Amino acid sequence: MISDKKNDPAFFGWVAHQAGYDYTKSGQIISNTLNWLQEKRIFVSVLHKGYQSGGTIIVEANHQKVVVDKPKDWPATHTSFRVVFRNAAKLWSHFTGELLSSSANALVIKLPEELFILQRRQHYRINLPEGSTATFLYNQKKCKLNMQDFSAGGMLLCAKNPKDLPQLHHTIRNIIITIPSDDAAAGAENGTLRFKIKEGEIVRSFADNKFRRFCLGVSFSPGRTEEERIMKYIRQRELAQLRKGVQEQ
């Protein structure tokens, strides 16, 4: 069935999709994005089940095709894959590449019909692996709570007993965030990644009845070095989640 462009807003701009994505079918937006990627030599990654390329570039884009510089380790096992990049606003974006042909140096793919962006809040939050914790000082007492999610501007803490939680609008200090990780490139040591935050403010509290626990939203502003480390970790987690989505397709 042919889509009715007059009645489909995606042909004219961005439309909310699912899982935090917006998408468009606008030929002008898609063309402008591809030209920007080519002209600015923006790095893209090629993903499919069981594979993630390093950074590569788009070397040509026209009304019929897109030519991607072929990754050196290209396995040549899939004819459909996802091309992932950060757009000018630093939001994760992707489109599906349908392979038309390949050579020693290039992957020639069909001009994409849809383009997706992952929308976010000012500080994008990621879910954390089980066993992630935050220790801190509250009223001169050392506390330790489980962490549910994390961003460069805050975190969500949870406990079974509300008596274990600091009060709303109070300050916690000397925060040490501990996350299970084997990624030495991200600074992990002995299977653990740690971040240090001087202080944070309790800005939200609520009961999570589904999991029978009590939660606190904490806002903080890390120093520049720690913020860069946190953002690097978050970008890696984002890309891993995108890769997981590809593998589950």
Side-chain angles (χ1 to χ4, degrees):
M1 180 178 179
I2 299 176
S3 298
D4 185 352
K5 292 187 178 182
K6 292 183 179 180
N7 296 320
D8 189 344
F11 282 102
F12 303 96
W14 294 99
V15 176
H17 187 49
Q18 58 185 3
Y21 283 97
D22 287 357
Y23 81 105
T24 185
K25 297 180 182 179
S26 166
Q28 188 63 54
I29 293 176
I30 293 172
S31 177
N32 289 344
T33 301
L34 292 171
N35 289 337
W36 174 76
L37 288 170
Q38 178 187 351
E39 292 171 4
K40 299 295 185 179
R41 299 179 68 84
I42 302 298
F43 280 123
V44 303
S45 292
V46 179
L47 309 179
H48 63 64
K49 186 175 182 179
Y51 174 77
Q52 174 188 330
S53 78
T56 186
I57 60 172
I58 290 175
V59 295
E60 182 183 349
N62 57 42
H63 295 299
Q64 288 80 36
K65 65 183 180 181
V66 178
V67 181
V68 179
D69 191 28
K70 187 176 182 179
K72 292 181 179 180
D73 62 345
W74 178 245
T77 56
H78 287 63
T79 58
S80 180
F81 42 82
R82 186 174 291 184
V83 180
V84 180
F85 58 95
R86 281 187 179 273
N87 67 10
K90 305 302 181 183
L91 298 177
W92 282 112
S93 308
H94 73 266
F95 59 84
T96 297
E98 299 290 344
L99 189 66
L100 297 175
S101 63
S102 65
S103 65
N105 300 314
L107 300 175
V108 182
I109 60 179
K110 182 181 177 181
L111 182 71
E113 297 179 355
E114 296 178 327
L115 177 64
F116 294 82
I117 59 172
L118 181 62
Q119 292 289 8
R120 66 173 67 193
R121 293 172 285 184
Q122 179 181 5
H123 295 293
Y124 181 74
R125 291 182 180 270
I126 55 168
N127 289 326
L128 292 173
E130 187 175 352
S132 300
T133 62
T135 59
F136 53 88
L137 288 179
Y138 173 62
N139 288 340
Q140 305 302 315
K141 179 181 178 182
K142 187 174 182 180
C143 305
K144 181 177 181 180
L145 294 175
N146 292 324
M147 290 181 64
Q148 179 66 26
D149 64 34
F150 185 39
S151 79
M155 59 185 172
L156 183 67
L157 304 178
C158 299
K160 293 294 185 180
N161 190 337
K163 294 181 180 180
D164 296 332
L165 300 177
Q167 298 298 307
L168 189 63
H169 303 309
H170 283 209
T171 298
I172 60 176
R173 293 182 171 84
N174 298 344
I175 304 166
I176 299 178
I177 293 166
T178 303
I179 301 171
S181 174
D182 292 322
D183 189 352
E189 296 181 0
N190 300 320
T192 301
L193 190 61
R194 287 185 174 84
F195 301 99
K196 296 181 180 180
I197 312 294
K198 184 177 180 180
E199 63 181 31
E201 180 185 359
I202 311 303
V203 295
R204 184 185 179 208
S205 63
F206 63 95
D208 184 346
N209 295 324
K210 181 178 179 180
F211 294 101
R212 297 182 179 180
R213 62 187 180 183
F214 298 87
C215 300
L216 290 179
V218 181
S219 175
F220 52 62
S221 297
R224 180 176 296 180
T225 300
E226 283 300 80
E227 183 177 17
E228 290 177 355
R229 291 184 63 231
I230 291 170
M231 289 305 302
K232 180 178 180 181
Y233 174 72
I234 288 173
R235 285 194 293 268
Q236 292 172 340
R237 291 282 294 180
E238 284 182 286
L239 192 55
Q241 290 170 3
L242 286 170
R243 184 167 63 250
K244 182 179 179 181
V246 171
Q247 293 173 340
E248 291 176 348
Q249 290 180 346

